[in-house]
Amino acid sequence: TVSPQSFFSPPPPLAHPMRTVVLVLGDLGRSPRMQYHAISIADMKRSTVEFVGYAGADCRPEIVEDDRITIHHLQNFNIDIPRAMFIVWAPVKVALQILQLFWLL
């Protein structure tokens, strides 16, 4: 039988650190909400954060100085192409982004 107390007891501590990825498909420094998510997740006990996105503006000092948060920059594949070629370039760009994520993570 299951006791009512088992429903309300806290979960057991994690045996291994929890690894979380916060992915931003934009400039990391210009994404304050995602930066706050990364900080709050890193503040959880036994948690590490992989903060992934494009380079640009500086991130908050709390992100840069925290040893539990690792920043990974994606390569930006924006190129000037004729509008008619977008239908060909868009799937290639998505495939390149997916390969980058597999490589980084």
Side-chain angles (χ1 to χ4, degrees), residues 24 26-32 35 51 53-60 73:
V24 180
D27 184 349
L28 289 177
R30 295 183 183 269
S31 305
Q35 290 184 50
F51 196 40
Y54 296 112
D58 293 335
C59 290
R60 298 183 56 82
H73 290 119

Side-chain angles (χ1 to χ4, degrees), residues 45-60:
K45 291 186 179 181
R46 301 185 56 80
S47 177
T48 60
V49 177
E50 308 293 329
F51 196 40
V52 181
Y54 296 112
D58 293 335
C59 290
R60 298 183 56 82

Side-chain angles (χ1 to χ4, degrees), residues 1-49:
T1 63
V2 177
S3 69
Q5 293 176 349
S6 66
F7 286 110
F8 301 106
S9 62
L14 297 171
H16 302 286
M18 180 176 68
R19 180 175 173 235
T20 306
V21 176
V22 177
L23 176 63
V24 180
L25 290 178
D27 184 349
L28 289 177
R30 295 183 183 269
S31 305
R33 182 175 295 167
M34 299 308 271
Q35 290 184 50
Y36 287 124
H37 285 316
I39 292 167
S40 65
I41 292 169
D43 286 341
M44 296 170 55
K45 291 186 179 181
R46 301 185 56 80
S47 177
T48 60
V49 177

